[in-house]
Amino acid sequence: MTNAMRPHAAAFHFIKALSIGIVLGIPLPSAGAALAPQLAITGATIIDGTGKAPLHDGMVLIEDGRITAVGPARAVTVPAGARKLDARGKFVIPGLMDAHVHIVFASLEQLIRYEGRYQDLIFGPVQFTLRNGVTTLFDTWGPREALVKVRDMINAGQAIGSRIYLAGNAVGWGGPFSPDFNATDASRVSAEFVKRTNGTWEQGTGRALLWLPPEQLRPVVREYLRKDIDFLKYAGTSHNTAHFSYPTFSPRQQKVIVEEGRRAGFSVQAHTLSVETLDMAVDAGVDIVAHGDNTGPVASIPDETIRKLVDRKVAVAIRPFRQKFLDDIEAREKANPLPASWGEASFFVGLMKNEKINQRKMIKAGVTTLFSTDGVPVSHAQAASDPGMARFALGEAHFDALVALEEDGMDRMEILKSATSNIAKAYKLDARIGTVEAGKIADLLILDRDPLDSAQNYRSIHAVIKDGKVVDRERLSAAAVSDTD
Amino acid sequence: MTNAMRPHAAAFHFIKALSIGIVLGIPLPSAGAALAPQLAITGATIIDGTGKAPLHDGMVLIEDGRITAVGPARAVTVPAGARKLDARGKFVIPGLMDAHVHIVFASLEQLIRYEGRYQDLIFGPVQFTLRNGVTTLFDTWGPREALVKVRDMINAGQAIGSRIYLAGNAVGWGGPFSPDFNATDASRVSAEFVKRTNGTWEQGTGRALLWLPPEQLRPVVREYLRKDIDFLKYAGTSHNTAHFSYPTFSPRQQKVIVEEGRRAGFSVQAHTLSVETLDMAVDAGVDIVAHGDNTGPVASIPDETIRKLVDRKVAVAIRPFRQKFLDDIEAREKANPLPASWGEASFFVGLMKNEKINQRKMIKAGVTTLFSTDGVPVSHAQAASDPGMARFALGEAHFDALVALEEDGMDRMEILKSATSNIAKAYKLDARIGTVEAGKIADLLILDRDPLDSAQNYRSIHAVIKDGKVVDRERLSAAAVSDTD
Amino acid sequence: MTNAMRPHAAAFHFIKALSIGIVLGIPLPSAGAALAPQLAITGATIIDGTGKAPLHDGMVLIEDGRITAVGPARAVTVPAGARKLDARGKFVIPGLMDAHVHIVFASLEQLIRYEGRYQDLIFGPVQFTLRNGVTTLFDTWGPREALVKVRDMINAGQAIGSRIYLAGNAVGWGGPFSPDFNATDASRVSAEFVKRTNGTWEQGTGRALLWLPPEQLRPVVREYLRKDIDFLKYAGTSHNTAHFSYPTFSPRQQKVIVEEGRRAGFSVQAHTLSVETLDMAVDAGVDIVAHGDNTGPVASIPDETIRKLVDRKVAVAIRPFRQKFLDDIEAREKANPLPASWGEASFFVGLMKNEKINQRKMIKAGVTTLFSTDGVPVSHAQAASDPGMARFALGEAHFDALVALEEDGMDRMEILKSATSNIAKAYKLDARIGTVEAGKIADLLILDRDPLDSAQNYRSIHAVIKDGKVVDRERLSAAAVSDTD
Amino acid sequence: MTNAMRPHAAAFHFIKALSIGIVLGIPLPSAGAALAPQLAITGATIIDGTGKAPLHDGMVLIEDGRITAVGPARAVTVPAGARKLDARGKFVIPGLMDAHVHIVFASLEQLIRYEGRYQDLIFGPVQFTLRNGVTTLFDTWGPREALVKVRDMINAGQAIGSRIYLAGNAVGWGGPFSPDFNATDASRVSAEFVKRTNGTWEQGTGRALLWLPPEQLRPVVREYLRKDIDFLKYAGTSHNTAHFSYPTFSPRQQKVIVEEGRRAGFSVQAHTLSVETLDMAVDAGVDIVAHGDNTGPVASIPDETIRKLVDRKVAVAIRPFRQKFLDDIEAREKANPLPASWGEASFFVGLMKNEKINQRKMIKAGVTTLFSTDGVPVSHAQAASDPGMARFALGEAHFDALVALEEDGMDRMEILKSATSNIAKAYKLDARIGTVEAGKIADLLILDRDPLDSAQNYRSIHAVIKDGKVVDRERLSAAAVSDTD
């Protein structure tokens, strides 16, 4: 469905046709090639994501999309009709996860063009991520209905792509045309469109919530929790760069949100961008802190807060990046200083330097880290011309980010857990996904080279298996978004 | 010194000459007309600002700028050489105070033109306020050095104008070109100028402080407290309308700021714009909450928080306005809806409706209120053409705002206290100013009509006395800023 | 097809369905109700648009969409099967024409949303114009292909609306995102979209043409003339208000354009906005000057140029407006002065004052005037809230504009000619349309009251006949664009 | 007066003091060091600028600022008291001229800060140009009064700097806040300031003139000619890049302007940016065409127009640049494409490519060219970081531009004439300046190396002599503007 990548005028109807095709079961790129009822992966080294020592010459047995047995090849009996996948010399690991992405991060043009059909912006990126081994995405801010639609199509086998879990809005943020994102563009379009679009994102949980005393806030949160979402996220700070350091909810408001999320059985997370908001979120009792490694350009996380994270077992969704990336940004910024409004050119550089310090502190202290990229659809051309964007290239950036963890001193087994079982646990999904164990959904990668030898080896994808079927990677989109978009 | 009102090119040098004139003691408009060593105001009804019943046929004796005696005319002996001021039928009250103003609120053009001499923007407004009976101004955000300069010139008798107390920066806010104010303009001017100007306002206490963990914040605040300021203010929320509801400092940061302010002997205040930030500031232990009556367009202050204000004796600097003012704004907004970026046209109207509700709740509950206008220099033409600006017209808006308190049901004696002794106490200046009592600085108004009959009577100014001298009101500027500026 | 008026997300597909319905002949609002082969309008006073005296108790016979006979009722024999339309006491006139409109004048939002299907922006407005008696529109700047598509659908009876003649681009102007229109918005969208959209409008005849020496310009113009357009228009000035007074093509370039247009058999017109560009266009030999009455805020047309217009029989498409309209604008502008960038607030007022002077001079001198509104789709709500827009309300503004001509002293018979036969002649279409004469296409209005008694009577539409069929006005859109768009 | 280069707050008063110092004759950097009544430059090779063969071992005798004799050393008798300047092995040429500069090209910040004293922006740049050998500047758009002030101070020996001739406004252009320059900034400042500033530049000859029919235009031009200007320039096109190709005045308006300029005895020039406007200006009879080599990115000058320039002896002020400069710009533009509003990234590159083609055509055909840089004050830092700005660096750019002429194939004697006597003639000043001949003002350069050997040798300045005095170059400003401004 490469055409989903070219959403220009002439291609709109074709895309729609394709989407319908998928719905109707027409054999478009799908797992159709692997309909065998049973699959036995034999001979590989199995690194199951639990932290246990690798199992050499192992066997993974899959039935109806689930792992039914894992063990030494000789100890597991392959059922008669099972298809055999010879993986000798290769490595089986759980499918990778990205704990924090935004599959839809639409431009003004896209917001208008795709209104009423934002799902058309989703089909492409989730193919690309699946192709490159990320079998599960956690969407932490996006258009809820469209994400639900594609999530359900994928789960029903009507479309192919990474497994999606979604938060919908980050409670407390306004929509794309609010000052948390791009209020300037609001003046370019009709008030009606602004209202519709912000509403599509906000789902009744926008910035007005900040003004509510705790007991007026509670029913609003409760109502949101009745909608179809997979986990609860709230804004711990603004998203607007110019107000990065500003908290949003008071401690007592945060407590109400966490209580309600808990009561509804959800994993609850906060988005924080400073030491103080990180600390407040932990005090409020969250399961996950998104951007907890980002504490601004001035200060890194004090030991006391690091200890709190460990003691209370709060997971932090971090965004690792390589030192070279930072060096490139710094060089670029020196050559082309940022506009005066930033006060000082080193804002982003300072911020990233602290991010790295914080990541290393957390790794060393044993904070539960969740691997993430904060990925958004970025074209290959954009990533090539703007080094700053490469870091966010959904479906591509995770390869370098995994290597960054290695650079930062994380144990290689921990790296794997950080990108699989840690995430599943923090999102309370460990009964279903995250490890290569009997009973789990069969989302696996087969690598040519050992990821415990080098994090570079995550690139050596031999096969992607999702829901127990071998993915026909060649038929999936080879970009999150086309270069001309 | 009406020329201070016409700061156009041609007038610059003249203004400077005048300023120098003032410094050198050349008899420009000053208190020179009332150099008599002793002054006896006789026969008036004295409402001393303490809340005590009015004293009819009273006498106020003033010497060396201080009140030396207050009592029944017959009980106080007028010294031989004393000048007598016959005030029979009139009413003596303490000079009015405005608990929250911004004497300098400069446009881009003014920031550039007056760089290095912002004091030239101050001479005019403080004459106008004095002329209209406000003998003391509390400047809660402005260019510290320039304000100190004019404050000291006035105190030394080298210039004439209202008595100034100043906070300098509101700790945590950026300068005029920061996103807390007008970051857009920053792109129009040189980076060097932006830096210099923001620095002039921030005094080392800008937005970067939000990123500091408490113990890194403490020494920064302490250093600021060593500068020449009169009270300490910190940002409880952003100042940017688009982020009105966003807190700034965490509770533990606020505690540090309040502790340090206290230790330095200052009255400490926070600027808040929501229920949650108001509540946090009270918990942090502030003396004053500026804008405590402004809790956004969505919710008014819950009873619990009102009670806290009363119990902990926290004073709230409120901005009263008349119902007619709100009605006018509402009608105007209906005719010319705000741009789409506001989400809903009723933002300001909603906010002001809650402001009124909050003011009435506080009055009813007995919260200590401090009268204020949030005044800035507004020309008569501006005030006439833009009803929204009239509310902020420094030197003029207080008359209507006092009447608004009456409309809102405040007892007339409380109104007077709210604009005099309450403010002096909250700012810890009650040993020096705020009442007509022996030992206090002789800042008084003589009114033709009784302010306890009607708040309209504050307009009936017969004489303004400052530092014990009758002010020659006719020679003072009759506008805060000229119409052509 | 009222739904064409509600192009919001949910309605898109319905609109498309409707359009297809029209194409397939499904009896949507169309002339289907009047399929009688012959129609005889009897008893009316016929004012045929040639300037001849009205014919009382006349008869118009129509067959196959053409007028086959016009004469005294008693002198014309009504064929046997003809349907009779009793119009005693009424007035038959040619269908009104508007010599200068822009059926598509799209916002940024519409440019994106309707890309690839701009025709969906056309169906509604042309119904509204037809409903209100304007049977023919001359579109002088718009998206050529979309206009051609709707023009042809209407001509083929597949859609219903006013007859369209179109220029496509005004040669020399850039598209919607060029500095001739809205270059600012270009920075908000992708470069690819800007290029596609400008290209859709420019059709290879954009601003680069101004740089071409005459003999390099010639083949470019010739190539454009090979495309499907109905007349040739070129830019005599910029369209950008900030550059209103700037000419575009040099005299020798203009000569080349006019020569080529002539050679291709087209009526040629220039858009001018100053005395000098008007004079140059006349010298270049144009048939029509659009906006010839608009010569800026400073000077009106000198007698010498007026004489040239008469001597060379150049028609001027004028935009009449009522004095009250100007008075309203002037009052409004005084209350809310324009931003400083305009230099002086009276720009538009000054311009309109000269426009009126010029119109009166032309009427008096006998210049051939073509009635026009410069109409664009304006919602009723917009027209109500912004008096300045009411003047441009396509489908509505012509009623007041016809009255304005009367106010300006134009003879009532001339008013009718100005809005019918004058236009047909200037556009070289007088063999087909513009008068009630045998052989012409049967586009007629039947009015209840005599337009030679009062120009107000153009509002008294009893029936609109187009292509010989009575239009079912009630089924046509009652607005050019809905209030919520 | 290096301090003029640091106009920051603290330095204002010092600058003013310096200016006053100059006025009062206090011996600041001036020609005071060379007050000898007579000066004899002996032994040099004299290339007098007329095109005559160089005179070896020549002698130039100077008295009272004028050249009194030039000839072979042995043939001229050195007067008794004359100071001798031994220049054996060196080369004497006329002082260089720049036919087209803008000494003041102020930012928004400068327009505000220097209002009422724009001369403070002039002192620095004209020292730098003199230091680097440009003894005469022709300012073709600037604040008339301030330029007159500095011109007269320099001529009276009260300040030191290059000789200035000025046009004031280019008739037809608006001021700095008009759409010809930066209308966007107008919305950032007060309407009063915009009006004052535009008026300071326009001097009554702004954009409104385009609307005037010829005979209404004539008296306005005549009135402007009564003001103190040195030559007459009018706008042949807009100055706004977005409207580069748009003409301004009609042919008959241009004729009126040229007639009036002639009648007043002035050299008249037009600013043109396209083939058509160049051709129109020539037809109108101008003496000089500024930017005649700039005909946009699409077409170069046709032979016919080149011939016209030669036949009618119209001089063209060209802006030569080196091929390397163009290559750098092109590479940069490829790496960082311009925003979409430009339509195509190659706008500037295309324009410069044609500029070069045009320059070469003119050189080959023998058009009279006037050397110019279009120079504006550019700091060394700016020039270093932005290659596009280096071309306009007043006081520095001329060195490379002279070499560019050599690259483009101009004869080296012609290069010298292009930068000296050609300019003097075209501006009708050849009786006073431009050659090393008896009777002329003694503005000379002494070079270490022969400019007829290489245009690089113009950099080898040994001495600058102005008004017959040796300039103390070391004391002059070494930058047009400081790096921190």
Side-chain angles (χ1 to χ4, degrees), chain A residues 179-180 186 191 207 210-214 238 242-243 245-248 250-253 273-274 276 279 295-299 340-341 347, chain B residues 179-180 191 207 210-214 238 240 242-243 245-248 250-253 273-274 276 279 295-299 340-341 347:
Chain A
D180 290 318
R207 329 172 82 223
L210 276 65
W211 273 307
L212 296 181
S238 171
H243 284 80
S245 54
Y246 282 66
T248 46
S250 70
R252 61 187 201 178
Q253 284 175 317
L273 292 167
S274 67
E276 294 307 290
D279 203 274
T295 57
V298 173
S341 61
F347 175 80
Chain B
D180 290 318
R207 323 173 85 223
L210 275 65
W211 273 307
L212 296 180
S238 171
N240 185 323
H243 284 79
S245 53
Y246 282 67
T248 46
S250 69
R252 61 189 200 178
Q253 285 175 317
L273 294 166
S274 66
E276 293 307 290
D279 203 274
T295 58
V298 173
S341 62
F347 175 81

Side-chain angles (χ1 to χ4, degrees), chain D residues 416-438:
Chain D
L416 181 61
K417 287 170 63 184
S418 177
T420 56
S421 60
N422 280 5
I423 296 176
K425 259 180 233 155
Y427 277 101
K428 304 190 175 176
L429 296 165
D430 46 328
R432 310 184 70 226
I433 54 173
T435 59
V436 185
E437 292 178 297

